[in-house]
Amino acid sequence: MAQSTAAPTPTTPALTPLPVRALAPWAVFFGVLMLVLLYFVGAEQGATALVSGEGVHEWVHDARHLLGFPCH
């Protein structure tokens, strides 16, 4: 008499939702980081320049054109 065994079915672990309290500090950090980058790419070297000279403008020149900010 032949015995047949059922093959084990693979189970995936249950995904637990990430609490908002754990996500909020990271969301704020990346939000502030994106605002700082947007400022340096889009508004630096204007009336609100924080850094004197042309150094920042030259570093972000290509990104400024890529994102559609005029600079000439």
Side-chain angles (χ1 to χ4, degrees), residues 39-40 43-46 48-57:
Y39 168 77
F40 277 108
E44 182 65 23
Q45 300 299 322
T48 61
L50 296 176
V51 180
S52 62
E54 292 285 323
V56 173
H57 176 84

Side-chain angles (χ1 to χ4, degrees), residues 20-34:
V20 174
R21 284 185 162 228
L23 186 62
W26 289 103
V28 170
F29 171 73
F30 284 113
V32 170
L33 182 65
M34 290 300 114

